[in-house]
Amino acid sequence: MKLHLAPMEGVVDFVLRDLLTGIGGIDQCVTEFIRVTSQLIPAKVIYHYCAELKSEGKTASGVPVLVQILGSDPQVMAENAAQIASLGAVGIDINFGCPAKTVNRHDGGAVLLKNPDRVFKVVEAVRKAVPKNIPVSGKIRLGFDQAEICVKNAEAVQAGGAQKLTVHCRTKMDMYKPPAYWHWIAKIKEVVSLPIIANGDIWGEAELLECKKVTGCNEFMIGRGALRDPFVFRRLKGLQVKQSHKDLLLPFFQMNSQRVSPSFAQARTKQLLRNFIGYDETYLRYFDDLKVITLPSDFAQRLSEL
Ligand SMILES: Cc1cc2nc3c(=O)[nH]c(=O)nc-3n(C[C@H](O)[C@H](O)[C@H](O)COP(=O)(O)O)c2cc1C
C-alpha cells in the first residue's frame, strides 16, 4: 500500500511537507499547484513552490515531491513542464480538479473536465516535453457537473501518455461535500489500466478499508485527514505513534519562523491547530487560548508552555 499526501494550496507547503514526512508513513507528496498562464514561470517561483528541488526533489526525510502545474494551453504547459523537469523534478503532476472560481474563469482546473479532448491535449503535450524517465501524472475530479464523464477523462489522461492518475471522487459542483463517490474508480478501472490513486474523504482506517474494498486500489491520497491527524499515515501503516498533536506545534512554528517569518509562522500554526479540533475537541481549548495572541514572541512563549 502506498500513501500520498495531497496537494493543498495555501496549506501544504515546504515546511508542512517537511514536518509531515518527518513523522513518517508518507510515500509521496505533491506541491501546491503552480498556475501556468501564458509565460515561462521564473525558476525562482518554481523553487518557492518546491524547495525540495534543491535536494534532489525529496524532503529531508527522503520522500519524493511531484511538482504540480495547472493550466490549459498545451504548448505553454509543455514548455513549463520541460523547464521544471530541467530543474530536477522527480515527476510532474497536472491539476484538472481545482474548483476555484477565478482559476476556472481563466480556463484552468476542473473546467477542463467538461472536454476530455482538452485534457488529452494537455497531458500529451506535457508528456512529449518531459524526459521519458520523469513520470507525468494527472489529478482529476469526477467531472465539472456530472460524474459520468470521469471515465472519458481518465481515458484521456491515459491516452495522453501519463503514468498515473489520481481521482478525487467528487465533481467540481460537489466541492468538498461528503460523501466521496469512490465507486466511480471501479468504473474507470474497467477501461483504464493506469495505476490509480484513490482520493477523497479518507480520514482513517475505516474509510481506507472501505475505499480499498470499493475501488480495489492500493494507493491512496489523504488531504484534510492529514491536517486533522498528522499521524494518520503512521497509524494506517501500523507504525507506533509516540508523539501527540501538541508536540508538533512549537517545531512547526519554529520551522516556519526560520524559513519565512514569525508572523507567517503564527498564522500557519493557528491554521494547523484549528484542524486538530476535528480530531480531538480538547484542542479547542488550546485554539481559543492561542488565537487571541497577536505578538509572535508571546505566541512562541505560550507554545513552549503547552
Ligand atoms: C485547502 C485546500 C487546497 C487544495 N489545493 C489543491 C491543489 O493545490 N492541488 C490539487 O490538486 N488539489 C488541491 N486540493 C484538493 C486535495 O488535494 C484533495 O483532492 C481533496 O481535499 C480531497 O481529499 P481529502 O478528502 O483527503 O481532503 C486542495 C484541497 C484543499 C482543502
Side-chain angles (χ1 to χ4, degrees), residues 76-252:
V76 190
M77 286 287 276
E79 284 163 14
N80 276 284
Q83 136 138 320
I84 294 168
S86 75
L87 296 177
V90 295
I92 307 283
D93 189 56
I94 311 173
N95 179 319
F96 294 112
C98 182
K101 277 203 178 80
T102 30
V103 170
N104 287 181
R105 216 174 25 242
H106 290 95
D107 206 23
V111 78
L112 271 81
L113 298 173
K114 287 180 179 178
N115 188 339
D117 190 49
R118 298 191 68 199
V119 170
F120 165 75
K121 289 205 166 92
V122 171
V123 176
E124 184 192 37
V126 168
R127 182 58 281 175
K128 281 188 178 151
V130 169
K132 284 201 171 57
N133 61 324
I134 298 176
V136 169
S137 50
K139 182 165 181 282
I140 63 171
R141 280 184 177 245
L142 293 177
F144 189 84
D145 49 9
Q146 45 157 308
E148 300 74 30
I149 204 162
C150 65
V151 180
K152 293 262 175 274
N153 279 313
E155 281 180 308
V157 171
Q158 174 165 281
Q163 276 63 60
K164 215 174 249 192
L165 171 68
T166 303
V167 183
H168 174 194
C169 299
R170 290 188 179 89
T171 64
K172 182 266 165 185
M173 298 306 278
D174 294 332
M175 293 301 284
Y176 294 95
K177 264 198 321 270
Y181 301 98
W182 297 321
H183 67 276
W184 282 106
I185 290 184
K187 294 253 181 253
I188 291 173
K189 280 182 150 187
E190 285 170 17
V191 287
V192 164
S193 59
L194 276 184
I196 294 183
I197 303 170
N199 170 237
D201 273 1
I202 299 172
W203 303 91
E205 196 180 18
E207 295 86 10
L208 182 114
L209 291 177
E210 182 61 21
C211 179
K212 191 180 168 85
K213 196 168 90 187
V214 173
T215 62
C217 284
N218 241 330
E219 299 195 46
F220 306 91
M221 177 179 276
I222 303 180
R224 292 161 303 157
L227 307 177
R228 190 186 274 194
D229 178 17
F231 304 101
V232 67
F233 302 97
R234 282 191 76 85
R235 296 189 214 281
L236 292 173
K237 291 213 168 149
L239 300 169
Q240 242 189 341
V241 175
K242 290 184 183 154
Q243 287 175 296
S244 80
H245 285 49
K246 207 169 54 157
D247 301 331
L248 303 176
L249 295 171
L250 186 59
F252 184 60

Side-chain angles (χ1 to χ4, degrees), residues 30-50:
V30 189
T31 66
E32 300 160 84
F33 69 76
I34 304 177
R35 202 149 142 208
V36 171
T37 50
S38 56
Q39 285 159 354
L40 205 55
I41 295 162
K44 201 174 87 187
V45 176
I46 310 291
Y47 284 124
H48 166 79
Y49 280 97
C50 190

